[in-house]
Amino acid sequence: MKTDGGNNLRNRLLGSTASLGLGAGAVAWLSPEGTEGPGPAKVVEGISASGYRSVTEAMAYAPTWASTAMEIASEGTLVILGLILVWVWWTALRRGDARGVAGTVMIGVGTVTAYAISETVKLMVVEERPCRVVPGAAAAIAECPGVGDWSFPSNHATLAAGLAVGLALLRPRLAAVTLPLAVAAALLRVMVGVHYPHDVLAGVLLAAAVVTAVLLTFTPPAVRLVSPLLESLGRNGSATGDGYADSPIAPEDGYADRPVAPIDRYADRRVAPVGRHRAGPNP
């Protein structure tokens, strides 16, 4: 296997640092004001509160079946994204794609890490749910979470964005499916009335930053760890589509370890000496 050069490693670390820095800055900028005072922060004015009020008022006229469908879809998007991740992992495992196997594992690690950070931020910011404090808003479609289950950032949006962005980076063709699913998951949390728009936006940016940083930093060394495991399972252990597919794929027969002689169709012919007369007995 080819090891990373110093420049490549430095570029990956710089990219990871930049991603985390941008994510942290975005979450800090979106965090609600008033967290320094006693009690939870209550966002009752501004663009986010107005947007929440408008969305919930529009949803108040939705039929009962639509309200139920939105509640189910709010959870279902996460299930679908999780199944896509498992499918990509299984497909990569069957093909012996070390990069695919390692990448899916790193997506899982990055998403769980983003979720843990989201929970920590919730305890630090302590923002009250909009379904309890926004004046003039219609009743939430979903049951309003209890006191202590704080609003900022949205865990659902964090999980959905982590899976969606990770899959889009690992398999760009899936971006057309995963990214809209993440957007739907985030919007549904506002539509059912349990989050502000800035809550879900913060969750999306947090997850995107963390998962991107994890993939950049840990996927190459994970590929080197996974390749021998795939080989031991009878897979070719090569990563497709990147710079890690340096090992030749052995033929699938019993002669894989035998040296192969070069093919030369003239190898068994005698070559006559070059000259005016051909050698032979004297007349």
Side-chain angles (χ1 to χ4, degrees):
M1 284 295 182
K2 185 185 295 183
T3 59
D4 293 334
N7 290 335
N8 190 23
L9 176 61
R10 183 171 59 253
N11 291 338
R12 288 191 288 110
L13 291 177
L14 288 174
S16 300
T17 303
S19 178
L20 292 175
L22 290 173
V27 172
W29 179 67
L30 290 168
S31 61
E33 297 179 359
T35 56
E36 296 83 2
K42 299 178 181 180
V43 179
V44 296
E45 297 178 351
I47 296 176
S48 192
S50 298
Y52 173 84
R53 194 178 293 111
S54 299
V55 170
T56 54
E57 287 175 357
M59 293 299 103
Y61 299 100
T64 304
W65 65 265
S67 302
T68 303
M70 282 188 288
E71 288 190 69
I72 296 173
S74 176
E75 306 292 338
T77 48
L78 293 179
V79 175
I80 295 172
L81 286 167
L83 290 175
I84 293 175
L85 180 68
V86 173
W87 173 73
V88 172
W89 171 82
W90 177 246
T91 303
L93 182 64
R94 291 184 61 187
R95 294 177 177 176
D97 177 7
R99 182 177 180 273
V101 174
T104 51
V105 173
M106 289 302 102
I107 292 171
V109 171
T111 302
V112 171
T113 302
Y115 175 82
I117 295 173
S118 175
E119 281 291 332
T120 302
V121 174
K122 277 181 180 288
L123 297 176
M124 295 173 61
V125 174
V126 189
E127 178 192 76
E128 188 60 271
R129 292 276 179 171
C131 43
R132 277 195 292 272
V133 300
V134 175
I141 293 175
E143 181 181 356
C144 194
V147 177
D149 188 351
W150 308 119
S151 190
F152 181 90
S154 167
N155 284 339
H156 277 72
T158 300
L159 291 171
L163 294 172
V165 172
L167 286 166
L169 291 174
L170 184 66
R171 296 285 189 266
R173 292 182 180 180
L174 291 176
V177 176
T178 62
L179 296 183
L181 281 172
V183 172
L187 290 177
L188 282 167
R189 300 308 288 169
V190 180
M191 294 170 67
V192 299
V194 295
H195 277 292
Y196 292 100
H198 71 267
D199 294 340
V200 297
L201 181 57
V204 167
L205 295 176
L206 169 64
V210 173
V211 171
T212 299
V214 170
L215 285 175
L216 283 174
T217 304
F218 297 108
T219 298
V223 169
R224 293 193 291 270
L225 291 175
V226 167
S227 294
L229 296 177
L230 292 179
E231 291 174 357
S232 68
L233 293 174
R235 310 293 179 180
N236 60 37
S238 64
T240 58
D242 64 357
Y244 296 94
D246 299 315
S247 299
I249 300 176
E252 297 181 355
D253 58 20
Y255 303 97
D257 297 328
R258 298 186 182 183
V260 180
I263 300 175
D264 187 356
R265 56 182 175 178
Y266 300 105
D268 296 328
R269 298 186 181 183
R270 296 177 180 271
V271 180
V274 178
R276 180 177 299 178
H277 300 288
R278 184 172 298 186
N282 293 328

Short mmCIF file of all heavy atoms in Angstrom, two decimals, residues 131-160:
data_model
loop_
_atom_site.label_atom_id
_atom_site.label_comp_id
_atom_site.label_asym_id
_atom_site.label_seq_id
_atom_site.Cartn_x
_atom_site.Cartn_y
_atom_site.Cartn_z
N CYS A 131 -42.41 25.58 20.65
CA CYS A 131 -43.81 25.20 20.86
C CYS A 131 -44.32 25.61 22.24
O CYS A 131 -45.52 25.49 22.51
CB CYS A 131 -43.99 23.70 20.65
SG CYS A 131 -42.72 22.66 21.38
N ARG A 132 -43.45 26.09 23.10
CA ARG A 132 -43.87 26.55 24.42
C ARG A 132 -43.80 28.06 24.59
O ARG A 132 -44.45 28.60 25.48
CB ARG A 132 -43.01 25.88 25.51
CG ARG A 132 -43.45 24.49 25.91
CD ARG A 132 -42.81 24.05 27.21
NE ARG A 132 -41.38 23.86 27.07
CZ ARG A 132 -40.83 22.71 26.68
NH1 ARG A 132 -41.60 21.68 26.37
NH2 ARG A 132 -39.53 22.59 26.57
N VAL A 133 -42.99 28.75 23.77
CA VAL A 133 -42.73 30.15 24.09
C VAL A 133 -43.06 31.15 22.99
O VAL A 133 -43.17 32.35 23.28
CB VAL A 133 -41.25 30.33 24.49
CG1 VAL A 133 -40.90 29.49 25.71
CG2 VAL A 133 -40.32 29.99 23.32
N VAL A 134 -43.20 30.72 21.74
CA VAL A 134 -43.43 31.69 20.66
C VAL A 134 -44.88 32.17 20.73
O VAL A 134 -45.81 31.37 20.55
CB VAL A 134 -43.13 31.08 19.29
CG1 VAL A 134 -43.49 32.06 18.17
CG2 VAL A 134 -41.66 30.70 19.19
N PRO A 135 -45.11 33.45 20.97
CA PRO A 135 -46.48 33.96 21.03
C PRO A 135 -47.13 34.03 19.66
O PRO A 135 -46.48 34.35 18.66
CB PRO A 135 -46.30 35.36 21.63
CG PRO A 135 -44.92 35.76 21.24
CD PRO A 135 -44.11 34.50 21.22
N GLY A 136 -48.40 33.70 19.60
CA GLY A 136 -49.14 33.79 18.35
C GLY A 136 -48.93 32.64 17.41
O GLY A 136 -49.52 32.63 16.32
N ALA A 137 -48.11 31.64 17.78
CA ALA A 137 -47.88 30.49 16.91
C ALA A 137 -49.00 29.48 17.07
O ALA A 137 -49.58 29.33 18.16
CB ALA A 137 -46.53 29.85 17.23
N ALA A 138 -49.31 28.78 15.98
CA ALA A 138 -50.32 27.72 16.06
C ALA A 138 -49.77 26.55 16.86
O ALA A 138 -48.55 26.40 17.04
CB ALA A 138 -50.70 27.28 14.65
N ALA A 139 -50.66 25.71 17.36
CA ALA A 139 -50.26 24.55 18.13
C ALA A 139 -49.41 23.61 17.27
O ALA A 139 -49.67 23.44 16.08
CB ALA A 139 -51.48 23.82 18.66
N ALA A 140 -48.39 23.04 17.89
CA ALA A 140 -47.51 22.13 17.16
C ALA A 140 -48.25 20.87 16.77
O ALA A 140 -49.12 20.37 17.50
CB ALA A 140 -46.29 21.79 18.02
N ILE A 141 -47.89 20.33 15.60
CA ILE A 141 -48.49 19.07 15.15
C ILE A 141 -48.01 17.92 16.04
O ILE A 141 -48.79 17.09 16.48
CB ILE A 141 -48.12 18.81 13.68
CG1 ILE A 141 -48.79 19.85 12.79
CG2 ILE A 141 -48.51 17.41 13.27
CD1 ILE A 141 -48.39 19.74 11.34
N ALA A 142 -46.70 17.88 16.28
CA ALA A 142 -46.13 16.85 17.14
C ALA A 142 -46.26 17.26 18.60
O ALA A 142 -46.45 18.44 18.92
CB ALA A 142 -44.67 16.60 16.77
N GLU A 143 -46.14 16.29 19.49
CA GLU A 143 -46.17 16.59 20.92
C GLU A 143 -44.93 17.39 21.29
O GLU A 143 -43.81 17.03 20.92
CB GLU A 143 -46.22 15.29 21.71
CG GLU A 143 -46.28 15.49 23.21
CD GLU A 143 -46.32 14.19 23.97
OE1 GLU A 143 -46.37 13.13 23.31
OE2 GLU A 143 -46.28 14.24 25.22
N CYS A 144 -45.11 18.48 22.02
CA CYS A 144 -43.99 19.33 22.41
C CYS A 144 -43.13 18.59 23.43
O CYS A 144 -43.64 18.12 24.45
CB CYS A 144 -44.51 20.64 23.00
SG CYS A 144 -43.23 21.91 23.15
N PRO A 145 -41.83 18.45 23.20
CA PRO A 145 -40.96 17.76 24.16
C PRO A 145 -41.01 18.43 25.53
O PRO A 145 -41.26 19.63 25.66
CB PRO A 145 -39.57 17.87 23.53
CG PRO A 145 -39.83 18.06 22.08
CD PRO A 145 -41.09 18.87 22.00
N GLY A 146 -40.72 17.65 26.56
CA GLY A 146 -40.80 18.15 27.92
C GLY A 146 -39.69 19.12 28.25
O GLY A 146 -38.67 19.23 27.54
N VAL A 147 -39.87 19.82 29.35
CA VAL A 147 -38.85 20.76 29.83
C VAL A 147 -37.57 19.99 30.14
O VAL A 147 -37.58 18.92 30.76
CB VAL A 147 -39.36 21.50 31.09
CG1 VAL A 147 -38.28 22.42 31.64
CG2 VAL A 147 -40.63 22.27 30.79
N GLY A 148 -36.46 20.54 29.69
CA GLY A 148 -35.17 19.87 29.84
C GLY A 148 -34.69 19.25 28.55
O GLY A 148 -33.50 18.96 28.41
N ASP A 149 -35.60 19.02 27.61
CA ASP A 149 -35.23 18.56 26.28
C ASP A 149 -35.11 19.80 25.41
O ASP A 149 -36.06 20.23 24.76
CB ASP A 149 -36.29 17.60 25.73
CG ASP A 149 -35.86 16.94 24.42
OD1 ASP A 149 -34.82 17.35 23.86
OD2 ASP A 149 -36.57 16.04 23.95
N TRP A 150 -33.93 20.41 25.43
CA TRP A 150 -33.75 21.74 24.85
C TRP A 150 -33.74 21.69 23.33
O TRP A 150 -33.58 20.63 22.71
CB TRP A 150 -32.48 22.38 25.40
CG TRP A 150 -32.42 22.36 26.90
CD1 TRP A 150 -31.47 21.75 27.67
CD2 TRP A 150 -33.33 22.98 27.81
NE1 TRP A 150 -31.74 21.95 29.00
CE2 TRP A 150 -32.88 22.70 29.12
CE3 TRP A 150 -34.50 23.74 27.66
CZ2 TRP A 150 -33.53 23.14 30.26
CZ3 TRP A 150 -35.17 24.19 28.79
CH2 TRP A 150 -34.68 23.90 30.07
N SER A 151 -33.84 22.88 22.73
CA SER A 151 -34.15 22.98 21.30
C SER A 151 -32.93 23.14 20.40
O SER A 151 -32.95 22.67 19.26
CB SER A 151 -35.10 24.16 21.07
OG SER A 151 -35.61 24.17 19.77
N PHE A 152 -31.89 23.83 20.85
CA PHE A 152 -30.77 24.20 19.97
C PHE A 152 -29.54 23.35 20.27
O PHE A 152 -29.08 23.29 21.42
CB PHE A 152 -30.42 25.66 20.18
CG PHE A 152 -29.30 26.16 19.29
CD1 PHE A 152 -29.56 26.68 18.04
CD2 PHE A 152 -27.98 26.08 19.71
CE1 PHE A 152 -28.54 27.13 17.23
CE2 PHE A 152 -26.95 26.52 18.90
CZ PHE A 152 -27.24 27.05 17.65
N PRO A 153 -28.98 22.71 19.21
CA PRO A 153 -29.47 22.56 17.83
C PRO A 153 -30.37 21.33 17.71
O PRO A 153 -30.56 20.60 18.67
CB PRO A 153 -28.18 22.38 17.03
CG PRO A 153 -27.26 21.69 18.00
CD PRO A 153 -27.61 22.21 19.36
N SER A 154 -30.88 21.08 16.52
CA SER A 154 -31.77 19.94 16.29
C SER A 154 -30.96 18.66 16.12
O SER A 154 -30.11 18.56 15.22
CB SER A 154 -32.61 20.18 15.04
OG SER A 154 -33.25 19.00 14.62
N ASN A 155 -31.23 17.67 16.97
CA ASN A 155 -30.55 16.39 16.84
C ASN A 155 -30.96 15.65 15.57
O ASN A 155 -30.14 14.98 14.94
CB ASN A 155 -30.83 15.51 18.06
CG ASN A 155 -30.04 15.93 19.28
OD1 ASN A 155 -29.02 16.60 19.17
ND2 ASN A 155 -30.51 15.55 20.45
N HIS A 156 -32.25 15.74 15.21
CA HIS A 156 -32.70 15.07 14.00
C HIS A 156 -31.97 15.63 12.77
O HIS A 156 -31.52 14.87 11.91
CB HIS A 156 -34.22 15.25 13.83
CG HIS A 156 -35.03 14.28 14.60
ND1 HIS A 156 -35.15 14.36 15.97
CD2 HIS A 156 -35.77 13.20 14.22
CE1 HIS A 156 -35.94 13.39 16.40
NE2 HIS A 156 -36.32 12.66 15.35
N ALA A 157 -31.88 16.95 12.70
CA ALA A 157 -31.18 17.56 11.57
C ALA A 157 -29.71 17.19 11.57
O ALA A 157 -29.10 16.99 10.51
CB ALA A 157 -31.35 19.08 11.62
N THR A 158 -29.12 17.09 12.76
CA THR A 158 -27.71 16.71 12.87
C THR A 158 -27.49 15.31 12.34
O THR A 158 -26.56 15.06 11.54
CB THR A 158 -27.25 16.80 14.33
OG1 THR A 158 -27.40 18.14 14.79
CG2 THR A 158 -25.80 16.37 14.48
N LEU A 159 -28.30 14.36 12.76
CA LEU A 159 -28.14 12.97 12.31
C LEU A 159 -28.38 12.85 10.80
O LEU A 159 -27.62 12.18 10.10
CB LEU A 159 -29.10 12.07 13.07
CG LEU A 159 -28.81 11.86 14.56
CD1 LEU A 159 -29.97 11.12 15.22
CD2 LEU A 159 -27.50 11.11 14.76
N ALA A 160 -29.44 13.49 10.32
CA ALA A 160 -29.76 13.40 8.89
C ALA A 160 -28.66 14.01 8.03
O ALA A 160 -28.23 13.42 7.03
CB ALA A 160 -31.10 14.09 8.61
#
